[in-house]
Amino acid sequence: MIGIFYECSIGIFDSLIYGYPLIHKTYSIVCHQDPQKLINISCGKSLVCARCLGIYSGLLISSVFFLFYIPKIKRGLTILLISSIPMIIDVIATTFGFYNYSKGLAFSTGLLFGSILFLYLYDGLENLISELQKR
């Protein structure tokens, strides 16, 4: 997560400038990095767009929260699909020009999706571990 704001780290540690091309290229694999959709802060810009930052933030917040409490809900694909609907609607609406891109809305819809997505990643990891223990 800290790599997302790598440019800010360069301001603190000058020698990190040499790793910037590699870090930037690495994040380009997981995000389109459209310059108009990046989060700008006083020390630089993020290496992912607002929506991707929301997804990764949701994953991080959920992972910390679930250290203390794992909700016992049936995790069918329905919940994942419902959590993705606001994000899909936002993407379609901005693509077709119904309204202008909003970094705040993109971040929020990504945050919702990322938070729910963690449950499925957790389940998958749990299933993998149980399968490996059976061998």
Side-chain angles (χ1 to χ4, degrees):
M1 185 80 176
I2 197 162
I4 291 172
F5 293 103
Y6 193 81
E7 281 189 17
C8 293
S9 302
I10 293 171
I12 299 168
F13 305 104
D14 293 339
S15 61
L16 291 177
I17 191 75
Y18 301 112
Y20 182 78
L22 175 64
I23 299 296
H24 187 271
K25 185 69 171 171
T26 301
Y27 279 98
S28 71
I29 295 169
V30 295
C31 181
H32 55 76
Q33 296 179 328
D34 183 352
Q36 291 81 22
K37 296 179 179 182
L38 300 178
I39 303 290
N40 295 310
I41 52 178
S42 61
C43 57
K45 62 183 183 305
S46 64
L47 294 178
V48 295
C49 69
R51 182 168 290 109
C52 290
L53 182 60
I55 292 170
Y56 301 136
S57 297
L59 286 166
L60 177 66
I61 291 167
S62 293
S63 68
V64 171
F65 177 74
F66 293 142
L67 285 174
F68 305 104
Y69 174 73
I70 300 287
K72 301 292 181 196
I73 57 174
K74 188 174 180 180
R75 297 183 189 118
L77 283 178
T78 306
I79 296 171
L80 186 64
L81 291 174
I82 290 171
S83 72
S84 69
I85 289 172
M87 186 172 61
I88 292 168
I89 290 171
D90 183 44
V91 169
I92 291 171
T94 57
T95 300
F96 289 108
F98 294 121
Y99 59 84
N100 293 329
Y101 180 83
S102 164
K103 291 178 185 178
L105 185 58
F107 177 82
S108 300
T109 59
L111 185 70
L112 172 66
F113 179 71
S115 298
I116 300 301
L117 181 63
F118 180 79
L119 292 171
Y120 293 89
L121 294 175
Y122 179 82
D123 276 352
L125 187 59
E126 207 172 47
N127 291 337
L128 176 64
I129 290 170
S130 69
E131 287 293 323
L132 292 174
Q133 287 176 344
K134 289 179 183 177
R135 291 182 184 184

